mmCIF file of all heavy atoms in Angstrom:
data_model
loop_
_atom_site.group_PDB
_atom_site.id
_atom_site.type_symbol
_atom_site.label_atom_id
_atom_site.label_comp_id
_atom_site.label_asym_id
_atom_site.label_seq_id
_atom_site.Cartn_x
_atom_site.Cartn_y
_atom_site.Cartn_z
ATOM 1 N N TYR A 101 2.466 -10.935 34.618
ATOM 2 C CA TYR A 101 1.753 -11.866 35.433
ATOM 3 C C TYR A 101 1.709 -11.509 36.918
ATOM 4 O O TYR A 101 0.843 -11.735 37.655
ATOM 5 C CB TYR A 101 2.359 -13.292 35.292
ATOM 6 C CG TYR A 101 2.053 -13.930 33.901
ATOM 7 C CD1 TYR A 101 2.878 -13.675 32.819
ATOM 8 C CD2 TYR A 101 0.898 -14.729 33.779
ATOM 9 C CE1 TYR A 101 2.501 -14.293 31.629
ATOM 10 C CE2 TYR A 101 0.492 -15.327 32.499
ATOM 11 C CZ TYR A 101 1.384 -15.124 31.426
ATOM 12 O OH TYR A 101 1.054 -15.632 30.249
ATOM 13 N N LYS A 102 2.934 -10.972 37.391
ATOM 14 C CA LYS A 102 2.996 -10.676 38.832
ATOM 15 C C LYS A 102 2.077 -9.450 39.100
ATOM 16 O O LYS A 102 1.375 -9.471 40.116
ATOM 17 C CB LYS A 102 4.471 -10.284 39.088
ATOM 18 C CG LYS A 102 4.683 -9.781 40.528
ATOM 19 C CD LYS A 102 6.120 -9.516 40.717
ATOM 20 C CE LYS A 102 6.398 -9.019 42.206
ATOM 21 N NZ LYS A 102 7.852 -8.678 42.440
ATOM 22 N N ASN A 105 -1.485 -10.588 38.932
ATOM 23 C CA ASN A 105 -1.801 -11.776 39.663
ATOM 24 C C ASN A 105 -2.486 -12.766 38.711
ATOM 25 O O ASN A 105 -3.540 -13.399 39.031
ATOM 26 C CB ASN A 105 -2.602 -11.568 40.926
ATOM 27 C CG ASN A 105 -2.703 -12.786 41.846
ATOM 28 O OD1 ASN A 105 -1.818 -13.635 41.828
ATOM 29 N ND2 ASN A 105 -3.808 -12.874 42.617
ATOM 30 N N ARG A 106 -1.953 -12.870 37.511
ATOM 31 C CA ARG A 106 -2.571 -13.655 36.460
ATOM 32 C C ARG A 106 -2.118 -15.115 36.503
ATOM 33 O O ARG A 106 -0.969 -15.367 36.725
ATOM 34 C CB ARG A 106 -2.104 -13.024 35.108
ATOM 35 C CG ARG A 106 -2.743 -13.627 33.853
ATOM 36 C CD ARG A 106 -2.139 -12.810 32.632
ATOM 37 N NE ARG A 106 -2.618 -13.311 31.370
ATOM 38 C CZ ARG A 106 -3.721 -12.833 30.751
ATOM 39 N NH1 ARG A 106 -4.448 -11.941 31.241
ATOM 40 N NH2 ARG A 106 -3.994 -13.426 29.557
ATOM 41 N N PRO A 107 -3.045 -16.091 36.229
ATOM 42 C CA PRO A 107 -2.651 -17.411 36.294
ATOM 43 C C PRO A 107 -1.514 -17.640 35.169
ATOM 44 O O PRO A 107 -1.584 -17.147 34.087
ATOM 45 C CB PRO A 107 -3.881 -18.164 35.879
ATOM 46 C CG PRO A 107 -4.991 -17.261 36.309
ATOM 47 C CD PRO A 107 -4.526 -15.884 36.181
ATOM 48 N N SER A 108 -0.543 -18.525 35.583
ATOM 49 C CA SER A 108 0.659 -18.711 34.746
ATOM 50 C C SER A 108 0.271 -19.352 33.322
ATOM 51 O O SER A 108 1.082 -19.209 32.466
ATOM 52 C CB SER A 108 1.728 -19.441 35.453
ATOM 53 O OG SER A 108 1.250 -20.776 35.757
ATOM 54 N N ASP A 109 -0.789 -20.036 33.250
ATOM 55 C CA ASP A 109 -1.120 -20.741 31.960
ATOM 56 C C ASP A 109 -2.063 -19.951 31.163
ATOM 57 O O ASP A 109 -2.594 -20.450 30.169
ATOM 58 C CB ASP A 109 -1.686 -22.177 32.253
ATOM 59 C CG ASP A 109 -2.988 -22.216 32.946
ATOM 60 O OD1 ASP A 109 -3.301 -21.169 33.540
ATOM 61 O OD2 ASP A 109 -3.613 -23.239 32.962
ATOM 62 N N ASN A 110 -2.320 -18.750 31.559
ATOM 63 C CA ASN A 110 -3.239 -17.839 30.713
ATOM 64 C C ASN A 110 -2.367 -16.993 29.745
ATOM 65 O O ASN A 110 -1.642 -16.179 30.226
ATOM 66 C CB ASN A 110 -3.993 -16.936 31.647
ATOM 67 C CG ASN A 110 -5.263 -16.302 30.963
ATOM 68 O OD1 ASN A 110 -5.593 -16.745 29.835
ATOM 69 N ND2 ASN A 110 -6.009 -15.493 31.697
ATOM 70 N N PRO A 111 -2.367 -17.315 28.460
ATOM 71 C CA PRO A 111 -1.441 -16.787 27.525
ATOM 72 C C PRO A 111 -1.679 -15.342 27.212
ATOM 73 O O PRO A 111 -2.754 -14.740 27.587
ATOM 74 C CB PRO A 111 -1.590 -17.605 26.254
ATOM 75 C CG PRO A 111 -2.955 -18.161 26.383
ATOM 76 C CD PRO A 111 -3.220 -18.321 27.788
ATOM 77 N N LEU A 112 -0.716 -14.706 26.671
ATOM 78 C CA LEU A 112 -0.766 -13.287 26.279
ATOM 79 C C LEU A 112 -0.846 -13.063 24.785
ATOM 80 O O LEU A 112 -0.268 -13.910 24.063
ATOM 81 C CB LEU A 112 0.585 -12.583 26.768
ATOM 82 C CG LEU A 112 0.935 -12.727 28.256
ATOM 83 C CD1 LEU A 112 2.271 -12.110 28.491
ATOM 84 C CD2 LEU A 112 -0.116 -12.114 29.169
ATOM 85 N N PRO A 163 0.493 -24.750 24.386
ATOM 86 C CA PRO A 163 0.098 -24.231 23.126
ATOM 87 C C PRO A 163 1.266 -24.155 22.097
ATOM 88 O O PRO A 163 2.386 -23.782 22.504
ATOM 89 C CB PRO A 163 -0.474 -22.852 23.387
ATOM 90 C CG PRO A 163 -1.011 -22.935 24.821
ATOM 91 C CD PRO A 163 0.063 -23.947 25.454
ATOM 92 N N SER A 195 -6.242 -9.448 37.701
ATOM 93 C CA SER A 195 -6.832 -10.595 37.093
ATOM 94 C C SER A 195 -8.325 -10.919 37.561
ATOM 95 O O SER A 195 -8.509 -10.838 38.875
ATOM 96 C CB SER A 195 -6.000 -11.843 37.208
ATOM 97 O OG SER A 195 -6.535 -12.914 36.466
ATOM 98 N N PRO A 313 -4.174 -26.649 28.427
ATOM 99 C CA PRO A 313 -3.694 -25.287 28.627
ATOM 100 C C PRO A 313 -4.361 -24.428 27.538
ATOM 101 O O PRO A 313 -4.337 -24.839 26.344
ATOM 102 C CB PRO A 313 -2.114 -25.349 28.407
ATOM 103 C CG PRO A 313 -1.778 -26.682 28.788
ATOM 104 C CD PRO A 313 -2.869 -27.568 28.347
ATOM 105 N N PRO A 314 -4.898 -23.326 27.784
ATOM 106 C CA PRO A 314 -5.581 -22.514 26.840
ATOM 107 C C PRO A 314 -4.700 -21.908 25.825
ATOM 108 O O PRO A 314 -3.477 -21.564 26.185
ATOM 109 C CB PRO A 314 -6.276 -21.393 27.666
ATOM 110 C CG PRO A 314 -5.477 -21.338 28.858
ATOM 111 C CD PRO A 314 -5.073 -22.650 29.131
ATOM 112 N N LYS A 320 -10.515 -19.999 29.878
ATOM 113 C CA LYS A 320 -10.476 -20.853 30.982
ATOM 114 C C LYS A 320 -10.927 -20.228 32.233
ATOM 115 O O LYS A 320 -11.665 -20.740 33.102
ATOM 116 C CB LYS A 320 -9.077 -21.440 31.181
ATOM 117 C CG LYS A 320 -8.963 -22.389 32.321
ATOM 118 C CD LYS A 320 -7.571 -23.094 32.265
ATOM 119 C CE LYS A 320 -7.363 -24.112 33.445
ATOM 120 N NZ LYS A 320 -6.027 -24.626 33.433
ATOM 121 N N TYR A 321 -10.518 -18.967 32.562
ATOM 122 C CA TYR A 321 -10.715 -18.404 33.843
ATOM 123 C C TYR A 321 -11.850 -17.423 33.932
ATOM 124 O O TYR A 321 -12.199 -16.800 32.929
ATOM 125 C CB TYR A 321 -9.405 -17.704 34.282
ATOM 126 C CG TYR A 321 -8.287 -18.696 34.445
ATOM 127 C CD1 TYR A 321 -7.321 -18.893 33.520
ATOM 128 C CD2 TYR A 321 -8.169 -19.481 35.612
ATOM 129 C CE1 TYR A 321 -6.294 -19.786 33.597
ATOM 130 C CE2 TYR A 321 -7.203 -20.383 35.754
ATOM 131 C CZ TYR A 321 -6.224 -20.546 34.777
ATOM 132 O OH TYR A 321 -5.199 -21.507 34.948
#
Side-chain angles (χ1 to χ4, degrees):
Y101 286 90
K102 180 181 178 182
N105 192 27
R106 183 181 178 90
S108 60
D109 64 344
N110 199 5
L112 305 174
S195 187
K320 184 175 180 180
Y321 295 99

